Amino acid sequence: MLALAQPTPRHPHQYYPDSENVRQYFSAEIRQLSPERSLKATIGQSTVRRSSLQPIEKPIRRSASTVTGRSIPNLAPDDDTTPTIKGDVAQPRALLRSNTDIVTRRPSLTERPDPTEEWEMRHGYDEQYNSTQYLEQLSSTFFMYYTDKRHETGGKPRQQDPDYNPSEWRMRDRLKTVSAALIMCLNIGVDPPDVVKTNPSAKLECWIDPTPIIGTNSKTMEQIGKKLQEQYEGLSIRVRYKQYLDPSVEETQKFCKSLRRNAKDERILFHYNGHGVPMPTPSGEIWVFNRTYTQYIPVSLYDLQIWLGAPSLYVFDCSNAGNIIANFDRFVEKHEEENAEARKKDPNLQLPTHGDNIQLAACGKTESLPTNPNLPADLFTCCLTTPIDISLRFFLLNNPLPCEVSLRDVTRIPGRLAERRSPLGELNWIFTAITDTIAWNLLPRATFKKLFRQDLMVAALFRNFLLSERIMRANGCHPMSVPSLPETHRHPLWQAWDLTIEMVLAQLPAMIAAEDGGPSYEYVHSEFFTDQLTAFEVYLAQGAPNQEAPSQLPIVLQVLLSQVHRLRALILLSRFLDMGAWAVNLALTIGIFPYVLKLLQSAAFELKPVMIFIWARILAVDGACQADLIKDNGYQYFLTMLSPSAQLPVPNQSEHRAMSAFIIAMFCRGFRQGQTVCLSPELIETCIGHFQDAENPLLRQWSCLCISMLWADFPEAKWVGIRCQAHQKLCEMAIDPVPEVRAAALHALNNFLGIPDLTAQVAHYEECVASTIMIMTNDGNSMVRRELLVFFSTFVKRYQNKFLVAAFEQLVEEKEFLVDADVQSHWNPQHGSLSRRSSKPGSDDDTDFQRVSNDSVQGTVWMHLLILSIDPHPEVAQDAKVIVDYIHEAVLASPLGSRAQPLMNDIVRLSRRAAAAKNPPSASRQTSAAPNGRRTPMSGSPAPPALPKNESYLSAGMRRTASMAAAMKRLTFGSSGEESQPPQTIHVTQHYPGGPKRSRVPEEWSRPPDIHDPESKPKAYIKAKAPKPRGFQKYDPSSAPALPLKSGFFDWSIEYFGEPQMRPNEPDEPGSDDYNKKLWRRSRNEKVLNCTQPLKGVAGTSRWDEPVGYFNNGSQPTKMCFHQFEDHLAIADDRDSICIWDWTNHTRLCRFSNGNPPGSRINEARFINEDDSALLMTGSSDGIVKIFRNYESEKSIELVSSFRALTDHVPSTKNAGLVLDWQQGQGKLLVAGDVKAIKVWNAATEICTNNITARSNSPITSLTHDAVEGSTLVAGYGDGAIRVFDQRLKPSTEMVRVWRKHNQWITNVHMQRGGFRELVSGCRDGEVKLWDLRWKDEVRTIRAVETDGTAAGGGSATRGGVMRGLSVHEHAPVFAAGSSSHTLNVFHTNGTPLSTLSPTIPSSYTGTHLLQSHRHTPMASAAFHPHRMVIAGGAVGSGWINVWRCKGVEGAEEKI
């Protein structure tokens, strides 16, 4: 029981089986999550123990970490506006985090700092360094994100084979034997002429000896016939048996036709005993008698087939029976040919069939029956009808050892065949299990299903036929059958059968003595089933290699009949079913379903958990069991278990309730009868109650889906749900921390729509639901957004007329917006206003009318649909475009079409004109590119409003791409009634950074350093291919859009129960290829750490000008990022392409497009999950974050996730674009930029969990975080300010420090992950400052780029030099500052200059001497390797990347 109640947890990315569960706490806005297995499988966080790795022989001192529960140091405010941290603030529980995100080396418990070294950590982290417990915790746990099934599949169900039938195990053409003719041609006392009997010879017929009563032949025949009928009735009591003793040919014809007439299309059994007539002829004729018994009359198989028809079952017990088998099919073919000829003459002619026949024969063509006097004459019949009796006799006759039991004693074994606990019944039970198992292992699945599961009579005869093959072969005969079977007489299970018989016979004398009045004796039951269950358990422990079917499965099925072994058998069976759909199909094929269906009537308390588990697996594979569950109220079993008041004898009750909810959902799915019997307020309230179960998201998910299936297309259930407020409770699940739960809630709300009587009350309910869940358009999970679009499509279809009006009014508004921006003469720079072009009353383009959709839910939904149609995820955007196209086509087909078509044409024309005005072909360059690619005016004049994108409503046959102009305008300024009539003048006001307290500073100081960089020439730029999600199928634009969209989420959710849950995945199994690869990567990582950490001292005292190599990126680099362990360098250019380079071999591995829209570029690139298989994260200036897998392969690269991280991103003339920082330990993404907040996205929940107010009107230009506890983040601003935030505090006090020592744009602020944990900031004026969170003032100021013509590193610089970028090594005490004078200055953190680097390119590229420096172009980007002493850099206007390393590290590099 415990094996089922507490299954081995399945962690999707748990690399070692001894990992401990970890409890993860999210922010206060999200409920606390549990460390249960189902949570781990759902939210995407994984923990890994490194216990399997070998310890480092010589541990190296680890850089700083933290003590559990310690807050950041108290920071004294530097002005009245900065709040303080109270000393008694409660600290959250410490988090387990990624190893390399925080520290890089495994520490020794006995290691202590060298007193000669300066080991003082910044920010008070030296105390945390000495916490050995916390260091051990950090070094033993890894987290992986965006690697769950929802990211692997995108929420799309697997494509099923069109020929696959999940219900194939069912007997659709089930037949049964209804009638039987028992023909006994014995003619007792007269031997046939062609038979020579030995003396002595076999005499017994049906265990009756006919010789003592020769004079009473008729009575003897009757006794034999009666006995034969009794033997057959032991096989099947429901068959109508009829004895025909020594029949004539006329009688044979008559009763055969009568049998077929009465049986109709069912099967007939024809048993023929020909011991008293001649053997069958070579042509297959059998013999009967004439009326006077003076002649033997042959009966042709041709005639017999006509009389009996098909389907029929023939048993031939006579010598030379193989002749019948050899000729039978020849006559069947002849009948089929005749039928075909007859159908040609009359197609409507009803003809009998002759093809479906089964035959059993006692011997071959030239073989005679055994004549051993110790055996019965009808040995074949005895094997088929009395297998236990003949097995006992056969064992005694072939047993070479002396035995106290005689042939006469074997008939005295106590018990009955139907009593399984009696000796005789146990023998019969074991015999059934053994023969079923032999057939299961040797026969093809289709043959086994036909012979052993279709008809009880056929199954019993073929089960016994296997015994006859063993016994008859031992006596010189070879039984034959159609269909033919492989040899089974040598199967090893026959030895188990012999052992079972021997164990019974060994106890038989004592049992006979007790029966005769001797001492009582208690029968010792066989250990056969116990041993076989143990063998099955061994098979399960091996993990079913190659999905090989277990040989013991039929035995497990038989064990279910015993209460003694039932529980163990069910637990083992559940473990087998957990292996996947193939195991479930095998179990259903073997015949498990009737047994588990019957067990639903059992009241055994201990069986309930395992029964729930088994039924969940069965329904996950074959959902067509609804009619079976309604029989005998089997569904009530699960309704009862779903209730919170129901107790289960297992600790994980919530998980079993989730399975019960799944079973009920499958029972109701598309099955009105099931919905009707389950409909009750109690069920809906029970599911609503489970919404509050914070410990098990699987239960919440399936509670939502249970309600969804209950009221799908069932108005009565929807009204019951309304009375229970189910729709409101489902709307509250929009902020659930688990994406699967949010998607399940949307699935239920989608099915809630559609009450036939659309009254005002119904419309109110549905519109309230739509307005409530609109916040989910900003959900970070694409699967949730796709499910939201399914809801929107249903909502649009239901309120189509209102959406036609909303779409038309949006077209009008967009045209007005484009008209306002069309003519540059309307722009007055002196007054900063834009006058609206007025329309003449009564003109064609007069749009002065009252708009009705502004305050409606439909109007707002339409705006969200337009935004979703340009969603960063291709599948979401494609689904939204289908809805938008559907409405636009409906608008054109409506009465509004005559006005809508000119509007669309005008929008296309104005959009093209705006694009041409934005980039005039011959005009001189008047504007320059901001970091996000948008043009901004030069020096000081206010900028006109941004022009809309060039988009077409009528490209390629109405393939519309949504316009963001009006949509973003509406969402930004609201949808009030006053907004519907825009003001006649738009005033632009200048804001200065820093607010009224700051003095006026030059405008250039608060702009990014690269604002004047030239943009890449479009002709020279080759656009790469954008990766798509796995399984992406492009929508055919030529097909007409259809609503509503179809959701695949329910089918995808079902797959969870069809996957292994009790054991780790194959990649997590020790010994597997994937497991070995992970282990190798861990070892490789440790080697990198060991080799690089001792070099930190060398890096701070040596030059950094040793070239490693250079390579041409093909486009201007803007961002670079090294992988911690792989030799990968990601380079983002100034457009939308990313190149992945092997920087050690100077080869490009992959180039792909980030899919940025025109006017935006890539601002950030990060590697995540670097401890194992890394993913690449990118951030774009339009607020989009994307994540890619297999980024190093152009063939395999895939889009994992993409979402709009900055939902209220508003570009300005001082663009920072998007800045981000990734916290691997906590799985948090910090995102900021041209917004007034820092958004904290949780990678596990994929929702924004916190909005930290930026406290400034200036854009945020850089973000960094404390890698120890992850609660402290530092932000640099465009006005030179630096602010420190503590995420653990409430919003009013979360800003704990502000420094205003810089007075220009912060190029970068960074806190080291290791080393001394230096916090370094750089300003565009060339100053670099080091900070301590505990101090008001800077620790040190370093002039990294001089402005008087001399560079800090000893080189030259132009006057007015600007720091273009700042890069800080994660562990070594060095940083590098890129200048506008083509130099990269490397410094020690104490201010000592180390090197001045200048990027170079080969002569073949410049046309000059060998290496030529372009000293007139500024640095574009630079990056340190996180561990190795390597730096890469590139300059503006050149695609060449230079890589340098520190001198003196060659030996360590060679070891790596």
Side-chain angles (χ1 to χ4, degrees), residues 404-406 408-414 505 507-519 521:
E404 300 179 6
V405 180
S406 65
R408 192 182 299 271
D409 292 335
V410 296
T411 60
R412 299 188 60 185
I413 295 179
L505 294 181
Q507 303 179 67
L508 185 56
M511 291 188 289
I512 294 176
E515 185 178 350
D516 294 339
Y521 180 80

Side-chain angles (χ1 to χ4, degrees), residues 1129-1188:
L1129 173 61
I1131 303 176
D1133 61 19
D1134 58 346
R1135 289 292 189 88
D1136 71 339
S1137 291
I1138 298 174
C1139 292
I1140 306 298
W1141 286 85
D1142 182 341
W1143 60 270
T1144 57
N1145 296 321
H1146 310 154
T1147 57
R1148 192 177 73 183
L1149 304 177
C1150 181
R1151 179 175 183 266
F1152 61 93
S1153 170
N1154 195 52
N1156 290 12
S1160 65
R1161 71 173 188 178
I1162 303 170
N1163 285 138
E1164 299 283 356
R1166 295 283 193 279
F1167 288 108
I1168 68 175
N1169 299 347
E1170 293 174 273
D1171 290 296
D1172 193 67
S1173 297
L1175 305 176
L1176 180 64
M1177 175 186 291
T1178 63
S1180 304
S1181 58
D1182 55 352
I1184 301 300
V1185 171
K1186 294 186 177 182
I1187 301 169
F1188 303 92

